[in-house]
Structures are given as C-alpha cells and as structure tokens.
Amino acid sequence: MSTYSDPPSRSFQLSMLLNDTRYRSYTFQFIALLLLVLAMAYLGMNLVQNLAAAGLNISYQFLGEPAGYDINQTLIPYTSQSSHWQASMVGVLNTLLVALLGCIMATIIGVIVGVLRLSNNWLVRQLMSIYVEIFRNVPVLIWILIIMAVFVAVLPQPRDFRGDTPEASMVLDAFAFTGRGFYAPAPVFGPGSGLVIAVFLASIAGIFALRNYAKKALYDRGELIPTFLPSLGLFFIPAILAYFILGRPIGLEYPELRGFNFQGGIFMRNSLIALWFALSIYTAAFIAENVRAGILAVSKGQTEAAASLGLRPNRIMNLVVLPQALRVIIPPLISQYLNLTKNSSLAIAVGYMDLTGTLGGITLNQTGRAIECVVLLMVFYLTISLLISAFMNVYNNAVKLKER
C-alpha cells in the first residue's frame, strides 16, 4: 500500500534566491531598492561636490536672521525685525488657513451642485451643468485674477463710508466690505469665556452622539427618532444659558472708521477672500462631478426599493444613496483637496503672502539660499499632502461598505 507525503525539505541555498519562486520576487525587489539607493547616493555626492567647487554650502543659519520685510496678513505676532523662520511660519499658517477654508467651502458647494445636476428640474440641471463646464475649463489663476479685479473695481473704498451722506454703509452696522478687504466684529474673551466655549464644544459632541444614536436605532429597531429640532436646541440653548449665567464673558469689538481706514474687528484682505473664493468655486466644479458619479454608481433599484417602503426623497438620499456613493466619492475627493492645497501657491498673483510668497519668494531673493528654501517648500507641501491623504484614507475606511 503506497502512501503520499510532502517531498523532504531542503536546506536553504543561495541559488534558491533566483531559482525558487518563493524567494525570487524578494530578490529582484531588493536589487531594485539597492540600485535606487546607490543612484540617490551618487546624485547627492555629485550635488555636494558641485556646490563645494562653486564655493557654496548647505546652511540653514539664515532662518535665524532678521527678515527685514513686512507681511500684510498674519495670524501670529510678526514684525519686520522677526526672523526668516517666523516669516516662514506666518506663510505656513496663511497657506493652511486658505487651504482649510477652501476645502470646507468647496465641499459644501460641490455636494450641492453635484446633487442638483441630477435634479428633475430641467432649468436647475442645465444651470449646474453650465457652472461645472465653465469653471472646470478655465485655469484657476484666471479666476483668481478675475475675482480680485472685481473686488477692487466694484467694492467701495473706506473713504466712501465717511460723511453725513456716505456713498456706502456698513451691513448691520457691523460688517464693512471694501476694496481693501472685509471687516467683521472680533470676539473679545473675558473671564469665564473658556467655560462657555467648553459648553459649546460639548453641545457639538452631543449633536453627533444624538445623530449616531438615531441612526443606530433606525437600523437596529426601525425606530425613527427626530434629530433636527433636538440638534438645533443642543447647538444654541446650552451655550446661550452658559453665556448669560456667567455674566456674558464674551463680547464683540466692532470695526470703526478712524482716519483713512477701519480700525478694530477682524480684517480679511481682499487677496485672501479672492483666493479663497476662486479656489473654492474652481475645485467645487470637480467635486460636483465626483458626487454626481458616485450617486449614479448606486443602482437605481436601491432608490426604487427605498421609495417602495415609503421613504421620502431626502431620507432616501441621506440613508440609502449617499452612504453607498461615498465609496466612489471619497478617493477622487482626496485628490481635489490635494490640488486645492497646492493651487494655493498661486496666492502671490494677488499679493497674499503664503509660504510660497514668504519663504519661496522674498526670503529666497534676500538670502540667495535657493536650494535650502526650495527643499523646505518641498518638505512642507509633501508633509501636508501626506497628512491630508492619511486623514482622508482613515475616513474612507470608516465609511466604506462593510462586507460580511
């Protein structure tokens, strides 16, 4: 009676790295990695030798020297006597500010336009199509310049708000829209304001918890729990009560016309607004197509089945269509966020001092340290792009369909 068994195991031999299919792929990958490392080392040594021959050396000591130039829009204290490093940090924060605001606004507009492109109303559908085609097919730099030119030409100057019969007036006596920029009330925080903010943040967390509980109740028990009015109450009532109980610790500083310009309040330069608005509406056109494609990727039978159960159209969209469409929407949405962040480097065209304008512009020209400045720029944009990708990939894994 014959028996079958595995062939006897052989001891490892070097020839198996090429002849054995279990090790061959690892061998080729290691060789490719080694060649890449050697090539990078050769290029690095060649760069160092050429710089030494030209009498140049890589040094970042210039970052500690006084910058010697002013920046028109800052989020942290800065003067012309601050260091180049502080100027770079101002540029980093300005870049992150416009990128964050742009991503939020572009997402809101893109989702709305993407849904309306599938509207049953012919006029609405065509208007959204025109918007998408116009903004997608014109370079974003053109839109930045157009919006900036409109702001400068159309909006009044601060002098137009002066006099007994001014040509322009503030909106609600609190907001001023001028050709130099936008002015809005600024919050003034007093003792106890931190507790009010904490209550407000706790209310936001409570809204998310309520919505998650309502969704779980709907999926598990079929119980429909209203969330709109409770969420509205959680958003306003606890913070308002804390505000008055603690003696109104948060006030407002309103902008006032003093001399040749407005003083006080929050000031946003027209360059920031133009860049933010242009990047948002440009990127939103691409996001709208991603949203439309994701919705169309959901089988029409899903919508018909939900409608046959008596669900209203808005609940069909929120509970059936969008959760399934997200797996198609999120991956290209990551690319649009990355594009918006990198397109913010066009800010110098309208005089907004982002990182490209500070470190990659004035600092580079003053110090002559082109290699060092460009390397820092590359490291920043690479880091922020990887962080955006990592965060969105985590979100993508959280919302993707769970299979049994």
Side-chain angles (χ1 to χ4, degrees):
M1 182 176 179
S2 60
T3 59
Y4 296 94
S5 61
D6 294 334
S9 58
R10 298 169 52 191
S11 60
F12 179 78
Q13 299 177 359
L14 290 178
S15 60
M16 296 173 64
L17 293 176
L18 293 177
N19 298 328
D20 196 321
T21 56
R22 293 176 297 175
Y23 306 106
R24 186 183 302 161
S25 60
Y26 296 106
T27 302
F28 289 147
Q29 292 179 45
F30 177 76
I31 293 175
L33 177 62
L34 181 61
L35 291 176
L36 178 62
V37 171
L38 292 175
M40 297 298 294
Y42 170 77
L43 293 175
M45 292 177 59
N46 189 42
L47 174 63
V48 172
Q49 292 175 358
N50 291 335
L51 289 175
L56 301 175
N57 63 320
I58 302 295
S59 174
Y60 288 94
Q61 294 182 356
F62 70 94
L63 292 175
E65 300 174 357
Y69 60 89
D70 293 319
I71 300 178
N72 50 25
Q73 181 91 41
T74 63
L75 297 176
I76 58 176
Y78 173 84
T79 65
S80 60
Q81 297 305 310
S82 300
S83 64
H84 285 292
W85 173 254
Q86 290 174 290
S88 301
M89 288 299 99
V90 171
V92 167
L93 293 177
N94 286 347
T95 298
L96 294 177
L97 174 64
V98 73
L100 177 63
L101 295 176
C103 288
I104 294 174
M105 186 173 180
T107 303
I108 295 173
I109 297 176
V111 171
I112 294 175
V113 173
V115 173
L116 291 181
R117 282 211 67 187
L118 300 173
S119 172
N120 294 326
N121 188 305
W122 181 87
L123 180 60
V124 172
R125 188 170 64 250
Q126 295 304 317
L127 288 176
M128 295 302 102
S129 299
I130 292 173
Y131 162 80
V132 169
E133 295 303 326
I134 290 178
F135 282 93
R136 278 203 315 168
N137 294 292
V138 176
V140 63
L141 178 60
I142 303 299
W143 289 117
I144 295 173
L145 296 176
I146 289 175
I147 294 174
M148 183 65 178
V150 170
F151 283 168
V152 174
V154 174
L155 294 178
Q157 296 301 316
R159 63 175 179 270
D160 297 328
F161 291 81
R162 186 181 295 110
D164 297 332
T165 57
E167 299 179 13
S169 60
M170 299 178 64
V171 178
L172 301 177
D173 292 329
F175 301 91
F177 302 97
T178 74
R180 297 182 184 179
F182 296 176
Y183 298 84
V188 179
F189 300 99
S193 58
L195 186 57
V196 176
I197 296 174
V199 170
F200 178 72
L201 294 178
S203 300
I204 299 296
I207 291 174
F208 282 101
L210 173 63
R211 290 182 173 272
N212 288 334
Y213 174 76
K215 182 181 294 186
K216 183 175 177 59
L218 179 63
Y219 289 164
D220 294 345
R221 307 188 300 271
E223 181 182 358
L224 185 60
I225 299 177
T227 58
F228 177 74
L229 291 179
S231 298
L232 200 62
L234 280 174
F235 188 84
F236 288 104
I237 295 176
I240 293 176
L241 289 177
Y243 174 77
F244 284 103
I245 291 174
L246 295 173
R248 296 186 292 183
I250 302 177
L252 292 176
E253 179 189 22
Y254 291 91
E256 296 180 1
L257 184 61
R258 302 173 186 170
F260 297 100
N261 207 347
F262 284 91
Q263 302 294 331
I266 297 176
F267 173 56
M268 293 180 289
R269 296 186 63 86
N270 51 12
S271 56
L272 168 61
I273 303 299
L275 181 67
W276 172 23
F277 190 56
L279 291 176
S280 299
I281 59 178
Y282 175 79
T283 308
F286 292 89
I287 294 178
E289 288 299 276
N290 297 337
V291 172
R292 185 173 72 96
I295 294 175
L296 291 176
V298 179
S299 172
K300 190 175 181 180
Q302 298 279 334
T303 304
E304 294 173 345
S308 67
L309 295 175
L311 291 178
R312 290 174 294 180
N314 61 335
R315 290 198 173 274
I316 294 175
M317 180 62 67
N318 294 331
L319 300 177
V320 178
V321 177
L322 282 182
Q324 298 183 74
L326 283 176
R327 72 184 191 274
V328 179
I329 296 173
I330 297 299
L333 182 64
I334 299 174
S335 298
Q336 297 307 324
Y337 286 167
L338 297 178
N339 289 337
L340 188 149
T341 302
K342 290 179 286 188
N343 286 337
S344 66
S345 59
L346 298 172
I348 193 64
V350 289
Y352 180 69
M353 298 298 290
D354 68 335
L355 185 62
T356 306
T358 55
L359 180 64
I362 301 178
T363 294
L364 187 151
N365 292 329
Q366 286 186 353
T367 62
R369 294 287 181 175
I371 295 177
E372 292 89 338
C373 291
V374 171
V375 168
L376 288 177
L377 282 173
M378 292 173 59
V379 169
F380 167 75
Y381 282 109
L382 176 62
T383 301
I384 192 64
S385 297
L386 292 177
L387 289 176
I388 292 174
S389 298
F391 174 79
M392 292 301 297
N393 282 326
V394 170
Y395 179 70
N396 186 36
N397 291 329
V399 300
K400 71 180 182 181
L401 294 180
K402 307 297 189 298
E403 298 180 357
R404 294 182 179 179

